[in-house]
């Protein structure tokens, strides 16, 4: 069992004291085996939290800590965090010309494994075939350049393909549901659900409750103005769908 602890996390995009904080003291603990949903209005720090957890150097931790099993990862670069089991699936995945989808996924898997334990090519190709079939992805998508000319829905499905192939421990999924039709949403949700297990945990960021009809989270958090202002069970997502975010109190105003 592993634990990810986010403690009084304050984040800015510049280190200077006069620069405003985007995250203003986030506290959150996720254990292996759990799926947490992070909801909230746009522009309130959800993606900033995901990027900061993954180690995007644009975001500066000005206070607080991020701990995995008690060890701080704040000064760890993104590649080390990937080896530790972090994965970020994004709303707008990058397109890379000249690198095929299959090559990218194989490199991502091998970068997370020791040099003397790289994935055998046939094992990789068999897993890739099976996973793409499960996600109802056309075979030629493996040989196309990463995300080049993929539709919005194909890109999201491709993020889930990467997730299922890489099998990370900490999956940060940032609005992977936006723009998906109901069939694609189901496939994406089935993919995430198939990952559930003792060596997997996920923080699923979503603006809408719809995805949570298909992936039942263990815990739901609401973020507003750089803080988590409410935490509850799966029913919280349904309450929010009915009442909206407006009635929720603003941040607690401390600092
Ligand atoms: P959410 O994902 O909840 O919509 P974000 O984390 O994307 O919110 O953004 C929160 C706030 O931080 C917004 O005001 C946004 O403009 C600002 N912000 C996020 N990333 C950057 C950045 N790289 N540079 C400057 N401002 C940023
Ligand atoms: Mg504080
Ligand atoms: Mg966002």
């Amino acid at each position: 069992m592993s634990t990810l602890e986010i403690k009084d996390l304050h984040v800015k995009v510049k280190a200077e004291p006069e620069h405003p904080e985007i995250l203003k003291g986030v506290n959150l603990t996720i254990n292996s085996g759990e799926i947490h949903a992070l909801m909230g209005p746009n522009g309130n720090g959800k993606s900033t939290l995901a990027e900061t957890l993954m180690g995007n150097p644009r975001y500066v931790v000005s206070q607080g800590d991020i701990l995995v099993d008690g060890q701080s990862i704040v000064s760890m670069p993104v590649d080390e965090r990937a080896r530790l089991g972090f994965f970020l699936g994004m709303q707008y995945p990058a397109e890379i010309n000249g690198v095929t989808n299959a090559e990218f996924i194989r490199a991502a898997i091998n970068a997370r494994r020791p040099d003397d334990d790289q994935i055998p090519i046939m094992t990789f190709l068999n897993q890739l075939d099976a996973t793409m079939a499960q996600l109802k992805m056309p075979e030629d998508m493996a040989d196309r350049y990463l995300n080049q000319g993929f539709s919005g829905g194909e890109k999201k499905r491709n993020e889930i393909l990467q997730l299922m192939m890489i099998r990370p421990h900490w999956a940060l999924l940032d609005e992977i549901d936006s723009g998906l039709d109901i069939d694609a949403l189901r496939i994406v949700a089935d993919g995430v659900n198939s990952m559930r297990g003792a060596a997997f945990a996920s923080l699923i960021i979503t603006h809408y409750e719809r995805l949570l009809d298909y992936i039942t989270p263990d815990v739901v958090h609401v973020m507003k103005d750089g803080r988590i202002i409410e935490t509850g069970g799966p029913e919280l997502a349904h309450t929010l769908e009915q009442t909206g975010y407006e009635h929720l109190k603003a941040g607690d105003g401390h600092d």
Side-chain angles (χ1 to χ4, degrees):
M1 233 251 327
S2 269
T3 304
L4 170 64
E5 282 174 286
I6 302 163
K7 286 189 167 171
D8 189 33
L9 190 69
H10 294 244
V11 172
K12 309 172 161 200
V13 286
K14 293 266 162 41
E16 287 86 67
E18 67 277 12
H19 228 81
E21 291 183 332
I22 302 174
L23 299 185
K24 304 174 180 174
V26 174
N27 291 288
L28 184 58
T29 299
I30 305 178
N31 295 304
S32 301
E34 295 176 349
I35 292 184
H36 289 231
L38 180 63
M39 304 181 74
N42 279 326
N44 280 268
K46 302 183 301 296
S47 294
T48 298
L49 178 62
E51 295 282 354
T52 304
L53 291 172
M54 193 64 225
N56 182 336
R58 289 187 71 173
Y59 297 92
V60 179
V61 173
S62 54
Q63 194 181 313
D65 212 345
I66 306 166
L67 307 159
V68 174
D69 297 332
Q71 300 284 320
S72 177
I73 62 160
V74 161
S75 55
M76 218 183 242
V78 60
D79 58 321
E80 274 181 53
R81 293 192 202 196
R83 280 195 289 277
L84 201 60
F86 281 86
F87 171 93
L88 176 59
M90 286 175 295
Q91 182 174 6
Y92 304 110
E95 299 186 6
I96 305 181
N97 206 352
V99 177
T100 70
N101 208 14
E103 285 166 347
F104 177 83
I105 294 172
R106 188 161 158 244
I109 291 171
N110 281 332
R112 287 163 164 88
R113 294 169 66 137
D115 284 345
D116 60 1
D117 185 31
Q118 302 281 286
I119 189 167
I121 183 75
M122 284 316 292
T123 310
F124 170 76
L125 290 174
N126 288 335
Q127 279 177 15
L128 188 67
D129 269 0
T131 312
M132 288 181 72
Q134 195 177 334
L135 292 171
K136 299 190 168 60
M137 292 171 74
E139 272 174 38
D140 77 321
M141 276 180 79
D143 303 317
R144 281 159 61 185
Y145 291 148
L146 184 67
N147 288 322
Q148 286 263 327
F150 289 19
S151 72
E154 285 172 339
K155 284 183 184 177
K156 305 292 167 56
R157 230 179 273 205
N158 207 41
E159 294 293 287
I160 298 304
L161 175 66
Q162 290 173 23
L163 174 80
M164 292 173 74
M165 291 296 293
I166 293 171
R167 312 199 68 78
H169 196 112
W170 308 105
L172 314 165
L173 304 178
D174 191 0
E175 309 241 3
I176 48 158
D177 52 335
S178 64
L180 291 185
D181 63 33
I182 206 75
D183 293 332
L185 190 72
R186 250 178 229 276
I187 291 169
V188 161
D190 288 348
V192 175
N193 286 327
S194 77
M195 297 291 297
R196 260 198 192 270
F200 178 77
S202 188
L203 182 65
I204 297 181
I205 297 173
T206 180
H207 192 67
Y208 302 103
E209 174 253 9
R210 202 174 60 139
L211 179 67
L212 305 178
D213 288 337
Y214 301 99
I215 303 172
T216 305
D218 300 290
V219 187
V220 175
H221 310 273
V222 181
M223 180 172 269
K224 198 167 179 187
D225 193 24
R227 292 189 185 91
I228 287 172
I229 57 161
E230 196 152 326
T231 293
E235 72 288 347
L236 178 56
H238 299 283
T239 311
L240 288 171
E241 182 76 357
Q242 276 146 28
T243 61
Y245 294 113
E246 288 311 312
H247 77 290
L248 292 167
K249 65 187 166 80
D252 61 11
H254 84 296
D255 294 31

